[in-house]
Amino acid sequence: MQALWMVLAALLFASMGVCVKIASAWFTMTELVFWRGVIGMLFLWLLARRQGVLLRTRYPGMHAWRSFIGVTSLGAWFYAIAGMPLATAMTLNYMSSVWIAAFLVGGALLAWVPLRGRDGRVAQPPLQIPLVLTVLVGFGGVVLVLRPSFGGDQALPGLVGLLSGMTAAFAYMQVIALARIGEPETRTVFYFAMGSAVFGSLGMLVTGVSEWHWQHALWLLPVGLLAAGGQLCMTRAYSSARTPAATLVVANLQYSGIVFAALYSLLLFKDPIDGPALGGMALIIASGIAATVLRQRTVPKAPAEEH
């Protein structure tokens, strides 16, 4: 069942991307972030009451920083979805695992101290070949994915899409830190939704509010509901995985979201996906799976990622 919960979560997140892409024709990115946050707050408040989870926290500063990074990633992802094919934007956002691997490599090199052994030789820095190969394969996939679409008016959305994956990795590391100090995941996601509402409303002071039409505004409701439902299904998948092997299967099934996004792109938006782009997606999925396996070894029982 945990595998089915994760596949359902991936489908809901991809469906949210469809609604974001459609709604972006009438609403700005800051408005989409705001409404995703407001609807998510209501959903998660009800969920917290049902679970008996108190929303008061002793770590407001950590939640504020996590929310700021997460909203930056969310806004960048929404901007990329609006400006380029859905499958490409989804793929770039799912690069977060590869970015985490890159950070692990960089962190190991920064923490390395050259010490001499008994034979007088200076020890070499850790190469961490599996992680390095994972990162190289992942960015090779990015080159293939962006090659057919990284031109003209899609250059900026492509760069912003890469930024969404990188900042998502930073946000996830903060989620791990919150989980280690005992913060319930429902509380963490609630404050992220609150941050989305706050930062979205601040952004609307700059960008303004779009003209309101109910037939257009109806697309805002599923953006928040699908995101909250996807997060709930993802949490259920992780909580029902009882063994390390099951946890790895669950974590890797999140990449089925790229497959769903590709199908949506072809069937709903008629976006062409040629051979190099498909090959790039396959490389990113493979590198993401490898990065997830390596991460689970380093940080066992890590919490679920958010999208």
Side-chain angles (χ1 to χ4, degrees):
M1 284 300 298
Q2 61 263 28
L4 294 178
W5 280 118
M6 180 55 79
V7 172
L8 178 58
L11 176 60
L12 293 178
F13 284 128
S15 301
M16 180 201 70
V18 172
C19 297
V20 168
K21 192 168 186 65
I22 294 174
S24 64
W26 308 297
F27 299 97
T28 65
M29 178 268 294
T30 54
E31 289 175 295
L32 294 174
V33 170
F34 170 77
W35 287 108
R36 183 198 188 281
V38 169
I39 297 170
M41 280 180 62
L42 177 60
F43 184 92
L44 290 161
W45 176 72
L46 294 173
L47 178 63
R49 288 195 61 182
R50 180 179 178 183
Q51 294 177 340
V53 175
L54 296 178
L55 295 178
R56 181 180 300 176
T57 180
R58 294 181 295 171
Y59 311 100
M62 292 184 67
H63 282 287
W65 177 240
R66 180 266 176 276
S67 295
F68 174 76
I69 303 173
V71 172
T72 300
S73 173
L74 181 67
W77 186 29
F78 283 4
Y79 182 86
I81 289 175
M84 64 194 319
L86 176 63
T88 305
M90 289 283 292
T91 302
L92 294 177
N93 184 259
Y94 275 82
M95 277 282 293
S96 56
S97 291
V98 180
W99 281 110
I100 292 174
F103 296 155
L104 290 175
V105 173
L109 291 177
L110 288 174
W112 174 70
V113 178
L115 298 176
R116 293 187 179 274
R118 295 181 179 180
D119 57 359
R121 296 181 179 180
V122 177
Q124 297 297 316
L127 294 178
Q128 296 184 309
I129 293 177
L131 279 175
V132 172
L133 290 177
T134 296
V135 173
L136 292 177
V137 170
F139 284 102
V142 169
V143 172
L144 289 175
V145 166
L146 292 182
R147 182 200 59 80
S149 60
F150 198 68
D153 59 352
Q154 291 185 355
L156 181 58
L159 291 175
V160 174
L162 278 174
L163 175 66
S164 75
M166 183 178 69
T167 49
F170 279 118
Y172 182 63
M173 289 189 290
Q174 187 71 359
V175 170
I176 292 177
L178 286 166
R180 284 178 169 175
I181 59 177
E183 286 291 86
E185 187 167 1
T186 301
R187 185 185 298 162
T188 299
V189 180
F190 173 82
Y191 281 109
F192 170 51
M194 178 184 292
S196 299
V198 171
F199 289 115
S201 61
L202 293 176
M204 288 164 60
L205 295 177
V206 178
T207 61
V209 179
S210 302
E211 186 177 355
W212 192 271
H213 295 286
W214 285 108
Q215 62 269 34
H216 299 163
L218 288 176
W219 287 101
L220 297 173
L221 184 61
V223 170
L225 292 179
L226 289 170
Q231 190 61 44
L232 178 62
C233 290
M234 185 174 285
T235 302
R236 180 70 62 85
Y238 272 88
S239 63
S240 60
R242 304 299 183 186
T243 65
T247 301
L248 276 178
V249 171
V250 165
N252 288 325
L253 280 174
Q254 67 177 310
Y255 294 99
S256 60
I258 296 177
V259 178
F260 291 130
L263 292 175
Y264 279 139
S265 288
L266 290 171
L267 299 177
L268 297 181
F269 303 109
K270 310 302 180 183
D271 293 325
I273 303 177
D274 60 9
L278 286 174
M281 290 179 185
L283 287 178
I284 290 174
I285 292 174
S287 62
I289 290 174
T292 301
V293 172
L294 295 171
R295 185 186 68 210
Q296 287 291 334
R297 293 177 181 176
T298 306
V299 189
K301 299 181 179 179
E305 295 186 48
E306 298 171 21
H307 297 284

